[in-house]
Amino acid sequence: MSTAVALSSSLKHNLALGIRFPQNPSFYRRNGPKVSTFRTFTVAMADSNTTPLEICVKASVSTPNKLGDCPFCQRVLLTMEEKHLPYEMKLVDLSNKPEWFLQISPEGKVPVVKFDEKWVPDSDVIAQSLEEKYPNPPLVTPQEKALVGSKIFSTFIGFLKSKDPSGGTEQALLDELSSFNDFIKENGPFINGEKISAADLSLAPKLYHLEIALGQYKKWSIPDTLPYTKSYMKRIFSMDSFMKTRASPEDVIAGWRPKVMG
């Protein structure tokens, strides 16, 4: 097991301490080498006395002790980063789930966050809980804007999995991206205007997957006729919090491969 300590992206300078701990032999004798758990503590200046939140996330399939390609995990990590909350990240090998993880997440899904000694699943529920427990800085998206861009992900998956070039899935995606482009043109640079909000933190990881997966498997990219969508993606993808919590392109490509090839 390895532990790394890093300062939040809200700080301009990072200090990293790496400490290695011995593995527990009895665990592996009983269960086999299920997973390597990697803990990262992110410490924010705003409230350095806050106990780190524990979060189980998908582990990388390409690089040991790195974050994997789950966009829902990144959404929660982004929320914690933007709220300057310290957190402890437990990386889980979802292809070989250890018993300790199945005890706290019987369905075997991530992300799962520990609130007040209770493990809570579902990124929607977790994001709402974070907003309620840690209201500052506020990330609430007004109800009338909360669903902006919400159909992009499902139409992206439809296009990615489609084997029929004339099936209409590409146009369905383009229609959603065009609507989003028009919205950002009138209301941007973010969904709720000048400040980033929960809706952006939910959408951005999905757009990241869209860009990488469609580029790899369809040789497709967002057209230049949608400049506001492209600038929105560039803006968010360059944020410190996003770069810190994103998966590698290799993991994103590997993660979508079964859906494309299956």
Side-chain angles (χ1 to χ4, degrees):
M1 180 180 298
S2 62
T3 301
V5 181
L7 293 182
S8 165
S9 59
S10 62
L11 304 183
K12 292 185 178 180
H13 300 284
N14 291 337
L15 173 65
L17 303 177
I19 309 172
R20 296 192 63 82
F21 292 89
Q23 300 288 353
N24 182 345
S26 63
F27 174 82
Y28 291 104
R29 283 197 295 269
R30 293 194 305 270
N31 301 290
K34 293 276 189 176
V35 67
S36 173
T37 302
F38 179 75
R39 294 185 173 91
T40 299
F41 295 89
T42 302
V43 183
M45 282 196 306
D47 188 0
S48 59
N49 295 320
T50 301
T51 301
L53 291 164
E54 294 181 65
I55 176 171
C56 294
V57 295
K58 183 179 180 180
S60 167
V61 299
S62 64
T63 309
N65 291 335
K66 292 292 184 181
L67 181 65
D69 63 292
C70 174
F72 305 101
C73 292
Q74 189 185 11
R75 173 196 183 180
V76 173
L77 293 173
L78 276 171
T79 303
M80 292 178 175
E81 285 285 334
E82 290 299 318
K83 285 186 171 292
H84 315 302
L85 296 171
Y87 56 88
E88 177 184 320
M89 198 164 55
K90 299 178 183 291
L91 302 185
V92 180
D93 181 355
L94 295 185
S95 67
N96 192 16
K97 300 165 187 170
E99 185 62 31
W100 67 262
F101 172 65
L102 292 173
Q103 289 177 359
I104 63 177
S105 179
E107 295 184 1
K109 295 181 179 181
V110 289
V112 190
V113 173
K114 193 175 186 180
F115 291 113
D116 302 321
E117 302 305 313
K118 179 182 178 181
W119 287 96
V120 177
D122 191 304
S123 62
D124 286 336
V125 176
I126 294 169
Q128 180 63 34
S129 297
L130 289 170
E131 191 63 42
E132 292 172 355
K133 292 177 177 293
Y134 309 98
N136 294 310
L139 294 174
V140 176
T141 306
Q143 187 173 0
E144 66 272 16
K145 299 179 180 179
L147 296 179
V148 170
S150 62
K151 294 182 180 180
I152 291 175
F153 194 55
S154 61
T155 54
F156 146 63
I157 295 173
F159 178 39
L160 181 67
K161 294 170 66 175
S162 175
K163 302 293 193 294
D164 181 5
S166 60
T169 55
E170 179 181 8
Q171 189 58 51
L173 174 59
L174 284 170
D175 289 346
E176 292 301 325
L177 290 171
S178 179
S179 294
F180 184 73
N181 186 81
D182 293 344
F183 179 88
I184 293 299
K185 178 181 179 180
E186 297 298 326
N187 300 277
F190 299 109
I191 289 176
N192 193 32
E194 292 297 325
K195 293 186 177 180
I196 201 164
S197 70
D200 300 295
L201 304 183
S202 176
L203 179 60
K206 298 169 184 176
L207 291 173
Y208 180 67
H209 279 239
L210 178 156
E211 181 177 70
I212 294 172
L214 290 181
Q216 172 70 20
Y217 294 112
K218 295 283 190 179
K219 308 305 177 188
W220 188 94
S221 60
I222 293 176
D224 292 338
T225 53
L226 303 177
Y228 292 93
T229 295
K230 295 183 73 169
S231 64
Y232 173 87
M233 293 167 64
K234 183 177 181 180
R235 183 177 296 108
I236 290 191
F237 293 174
S238 65
M239 288 169 41
D240 287 345
S241 59
F242 192 93
M243 291 190 289
K244 184 175 182 178
T245 59
R246 68 186 178 187
S248 70
E250 293 79 11
D251 276 313
V252 174
I253 290 169
W256 287 104
R257 185 173 293 118
K259 294 179 174 61
V260 176
M261 303 303 181

